[in-house]
Amino acid sequence: MAAAGAPDGMEEPGMDTEAETVATEAPARPLNCVEAEAAAGAAAAAAEDSCAARGNLQPAPAQPPGDPAAQASVSNGEDAGGGAGRELVDLKIIWNKTKHDVKFPLDSTGSELKQKIHSITGLPPAMQKVMYKGLVPEDKTLREIKVTSGAKIMVVGSTINDVLAVNTPKDAAQQDAKAEENKKEPLCRQKQHRKVLDKGKPEDVMPSVKGAQERLPTVPLSGMYNKSGGKVRLTFKLEQDQLWIGTKERTEKLPMGSIKNVVSEPIEGHEDYHMMAFQLGPTEASYYWVYWVPTQYVDAIKDTVLGKWQYF
């Protein structure tokens, strides 16, 4: 007798579930090589997609050029006026006979170099002349003027203290100038005057009185020589306020006011006579020289020509 069960053609409840369970629990069959490789590739792709979704595979953004953080990480160990990370050159800075070895950025300007020199020497930039194959321009870089490593940079200039030290008081400067003038060779030894004085004292020169001072005579002073060695006489026309300088060839009539100065000096070996010059123009080149002037008239001539002598 047939067992009771489901009608033919009908499945009993739970058959599908049971089948699925059997299928699930059934051991997987081994994969061949092709299938194993495909499965591994799929797993790798899935893993990459998963990581990318979480942002783990996004590359870090590159530092832009000039970024401070990037530059801060670069250093050559030198601090030459902000030269970190910049190409340096070895320079020999020479000032006041002293050499200073300096490393300095090749792309720094001449103005920046002056600041560096100031920090080394104390010489203010405004008082510096910096030279490398000529004057170093302040607005050009050392690279532009082709400075090479080991180059010698010459510096000329004085510190403020040096300038103040040479600014002596006016009186002291005048005294120094006077002392220097006193050291000069006497006029009568100079070649231009020697050729006249070597002729000797003129035979018809007026007599002198050593150590005396007299007023001008009423007659011309005569018997003297001029620079060319010719005879000359001096006539003082007080009523016309003129000095007449007469030679054999002509007579020059000069207003007293046109004569800028009168200088004189005793003649060595004949101190009772002087050599005297009348300044007719702005420079010493305009001096008119007269030799063998009697010493007793020298002061009277100066005072008369320069307006100091009083007649009663």
Side-chain angles (χ1 to χ4, degrees), residues 58-64:
Q58 291 182 355
Q63 293 286 357

Side-chain angles (χ1 to χ4, degrees), residues 21-57:
T21 302
V22 172
T24 302
E25 293 176 355
R29 78 177 169 80
L31 299 177
N32 59 34
C33 293
V34 174
E35 290 173 333
E37 185 176 354
E48 182 175 352
D49 291 341
S50 176
C51 291
R54 292 195 303 270
N56 292 340
L57 295 181

Side-chain angles (χ1 to χ4, degrees), residues 156-175:
V156 178
S158 300
T159 63
I160 294 176
N161 290 336
D162 293 336
V163 173
L164 294 176
V166 300
N167 286 336
T168 56
K170 184 177 179 181
D171 291 344
Q174 289 177 345
Q175 290 175 2

Side-chain angles (χ1 to χ4, degrees), residues 130-182:
V130 182
M131 288 171 287
Y132 173 75
K133 298 180 180 180
L135 203 61
V136 173
E138 292 193 0
D139 57 343
K140 291 187 179 294
T141 66
L142 304 190
R143 189 187 299 276
E144 288 176 317
I145 62 175
K146 304 185 185 308
V147 172
T148 57
S149 190
K152 293 182 179 179
I153 306 295
M154 303 297 297
V155 181
V156 178
S158 300
T159 63
I160 294 176
N161 290 336
D162 293 336
V163 173
L164 294 176
V166 300
N167 286 336
T168 56
K170 184 177 179 181
D171 291 344
Q174 289 177 345
Q175 290 175 2
D176 291 343
K178 188 174 182 180
E180 185 65 25
E181 185 177 352
N182 292 336

